[in-house]
Amino acid sequence: MKIGIVCYPTFGGSGVVATELGMALADKGHEVHFITYNQPVRLDFISHRLHFHEVVLEEYPLFEYQPYELALSSKMVEIVQKYQLEVLHVHYAIPHAYAAYMAKKMLLDKGINVKVVTTLHGTDITLVGSHPTYKTAVEFSINKSDEVTAVSQSLKDDTLRLFNIEKDIKVVYNFIDGQKYAKAQNDECKRSALAQEHERILTHISNFRPVKRTDDVIKIFHKVQKKIPSKLLMVGDGPERLKAENLVKELKLEDKVLFMGNSNEVAKILCYTDVFLLPSKTESFGLAALEAMAAGTAVISTNSGGLPEVNIDGVTGFLSDVGDVEDMAKNAVHILKSDAVLNEFKMNAKEHTRLFSLDTILPQYESIYKKCYTVIV
Ligand code: GMT
């Protein structure tokens, strides 16, 4: 099929999922066109079936805010026509689902019936989308999509609770390409570059937004390192990074915490990791946790949103209430204190990711594309 993918091109989870999906679809023989304002960070041009079309914004003195939705919907119309795309798959409802609806209407005027699939990712529903500023337009564009998916049952439930939804929402979980992680494990995994032989390694990866509670990551680690010799890797960047760095100084942890910035080498970093920390306030799924588990890492997380669908309490890691750093530290110490316990959790974590393999999830998206394309309006 010929598929247009619209997403945020950044390190956020929705952009990562969209990009990995697009690359996998192209690998399977589909023609995939990314339409966004920058080349997605995880996009490597591995196949001639992958294209990227930049949405360019024109400066004009009258615009305090540039009308991105307008530029995006015009670009969608142009690309659908030029490459005869059959489906537009938009990731993150704001403003992509709304722009896609506009593009669909403009194309219908020209006798072209492109189908719109909207994937809800999390904060587009739970934090931003349900805010009165956006709610009406988000609800409208979800209801006008041909197909709607959510990345967890919890996000589906939240969507039905927060909006007046007339469409059926299908749960299609986030996925991982297990082979990529297997490869990183086999490639030289130089743990000694980051920690001494007797030290454990804990890792946090996020975009350092307030919802990730990066201060809790530092507080948990502060407690853990008093009992277990260890290092903490903080991967990513965002608004809370400075605050987290200051807390590290305040707690005199500078020689034990390494801030690594954004990275495209997540699989390599995770190969060093023993325990992954994700104490988020809310998390529709927790792709970062799934990636960590695929690399054979136990997960200490909160029990919010879709995290219990990914991290199984007492099996792949532990779940605690939001803000309960004491409990999260206690659980981390329990996992880290013996090699036998740690190895069991690591093995369970890796095993559990089979449910979320690319081979399982990709056909679910393909059948959604096919289904909406064969429905006659
Ligand atoms: O929170 C982020 O890191 C980014 C955000 C996004 O939409 O870009 O992530 C959301 O989508 C991911 C992919 O589906 C999910 O794995 C994350 O759980 C979700 N984040 C939140 O719900 C806070």
Side-chain angles (χ1 to χ4, degrees):
M1 294 186 80
K2 294 184 175 192
I3 304 149
I5 292 189
V6 178
C7 63
Y8 284 104
T10 55
F11 280 97
S14 61
V16 168
V17 170
T19 310
E20 298 281 354
L21 175 65
M23 293 194 296
L25 286 165
D27 253 4
K28 252 188 121 174
H30 298 283
E31 186 178 308
V32 177
H33 295 256
F34 284 92
I35 307 170
T36 179
Y37 58 85
N38 265 333
Q39 183 175 321
V41 287
R42 279 222 190 159
L43 184 62
D44 40 33
F45 284 91
I46 45 164
S47 141
H48 64 279
R49 287 184 292 268
L50 271 179
H51 306 260
F52 162 60
H53 309 280
E54 186 181 352
V55 178
V56 181
L57 289 173
E58 286 301 322
E59 300 267 350
Y60 186 67
L62 189 65
F63 299 153
E64 195 178 345
Y65 307 103
Q66 293 183 346
Y68 180 64
E69 295 86 312
L70 231 62
L72 177 61
S73 52
S74 298
K75 194 69 175 178
M76 287 193 227
V77 170
E78 178 199 327
I79 301 303
V80 168
Q81 281 185 290
K82 190 167 172 188
Y83 296 94
Q84 286 113 46
L85 303 190
E86 294 148 292
V87 174
L88 282 170
H89 186 175
V90 300
H91 292 259
Y92 206 89
I94 307 172
H96 302 146
Y98 192 74
Y101 171 75
M102 291 311 297
K104 185 183 169 82
K105 282 290 181 200
M106 288 187 266
L107 286 158
L108 270 176
D109 240 24
K110 298 171 192 284
I112 298 166
N113 188 6
V114 72
K115 300 296 175 180
V116 173
V117 177
T118 297
T119 290
L120 309 172
H121 278 274
T123 51
D124 47 350
I125 296 300
T126 54
L127 292 185
V128 201
S130 50
H131 191 277
T133 311
Y134 300 112
K135 190 175 172 194
T136 310
V138 171
E139 187 173 275
F140 173 84
S141 42
I142 291 173
N143 282 327
K144 293 294 177 189
S145 302
D146 293 288
E147 291 286 334
V148 182
T149 75
V151 298
S152 66
Q153 182 60 44
S154 152
L155 183 61
K156 174 176 174 172
D157 296 344
D158 283 341
T159 311
L160 296 176
R161 182 172 49 81
L162 295 165
F163 298 87
N164 189 5
I165 297 296
E166 296 147 14
K167 301 287 307 180
D168 173 41
I169 300 177
K170 296 186 178 67
V171 174
V172 181
Y173 283 123
N174 286 333
F175 60 88
I176 32 97
D177 180 355
Q179 277 173 7
K180 202 162 82 184
Y181 291 89
K183 188 174 174 296
Q185 303 270 292
N186 294 337
D187 287 355
E188 227 181 322
C189 185
K190 285 208 181 84
R191 244 183 97 96
S192 57
L194 293 166
Q196 294 176 38
E197 193 64 30
H198 68 290
E199 287 176 320
R200 302 291 197 199
I201 298 183
L202 295 87
T203 297
H204 170 76
I205 304 178
S206 79
N207 45 23
F208 286 57
R209 285 181 299 158
V211 72
K212 302 293 174 182
R213 296 181 68 98
T214 40
D215 274 10
D216 282 2
V217 175
I218 310 294
K219 288 178 194 162
I220 296 164
F221 178 70
H222 183 233
K223 290 177 188 298
V224 171
Q225 56 84 42
K226 284 182 184 164
K227 302 222 162 112
I228 309 259
S230 45
K231 289 271 162 63
L232 172 65
L233 309 181
M234 295 289 281
V235 184
D237 208 346
E240 296 284 290
R241 177 165 168 179
L242 192 61
K243 203 167 144 227
E245 283 179 346
N246 286 338
L247 185 58
V248 165
K249 280 188 202 129
E250 201 184 296
L251 297 172
K252 305 207 178 341
L253 293 171
E254 291 105 311
D255 56 337
K256 293 184 176 165
V257 181
L258 191 59
F259 285 86
M260 304 179 83
N262 283 325
S263 173
N264 258 336
E265 303 284 5
V266 166
K268 280 196 185 147
I269 293 168
L270 287 169
C271 88
Y272 312 128
T273 303
D274 296 307
V275 159
F276 187 78
L277 300 175
L278 196 61
S280 307
K281 177 173 175 238
T282 167
E283 202 70 67
S284 68
F285 180 90
L287 179 65
L290 182 67
E291 292 188 325
M293 287 160 66
T297 298
V299 175
I300 294 294
S301 73
T302 53
N303 51 17
S304 71
L307 281 169
E309 294 170 64
V310 180
N311 183 21
I312 309 303
D313 197 35
V315 179
T316 62
F318 285 102
L319 302 163
S320 306
D321 291 340
V322 175
D324 193 347
V325 290
E326 195 63 56
D327 195 51
M328 288 186 258
K330 186 192 87 203
N331 290 335
V333 169
H334 171 77
I335 293 176
L336 292 169
K337 71 175 184 258
S338 105
D339 283 347
V341 175
L342 176 61
N343 288 337
E344 193 184 336
F345 273 90
K346 284 181 155 205
M347 229 171 56
N348 292 346
K350 195 166 184 154
E351 181 62 28
H352 185 57
T353 61
R354 283 173 187 268
L355 284 181
F356 307 95
S357 78
L358 179 63
D359 297 344
T360 308
I361 305 299
L362 193 67
Q364 295 179 20
Y365 278 121
E366 284 176 300
S367 84
I368 286 169
Y369 299 155
K370 278 188 204 127
K371 183 180 157 236
C372 71
Y373 197 67
T374 46
V375 173
I376 297 162
V377 256

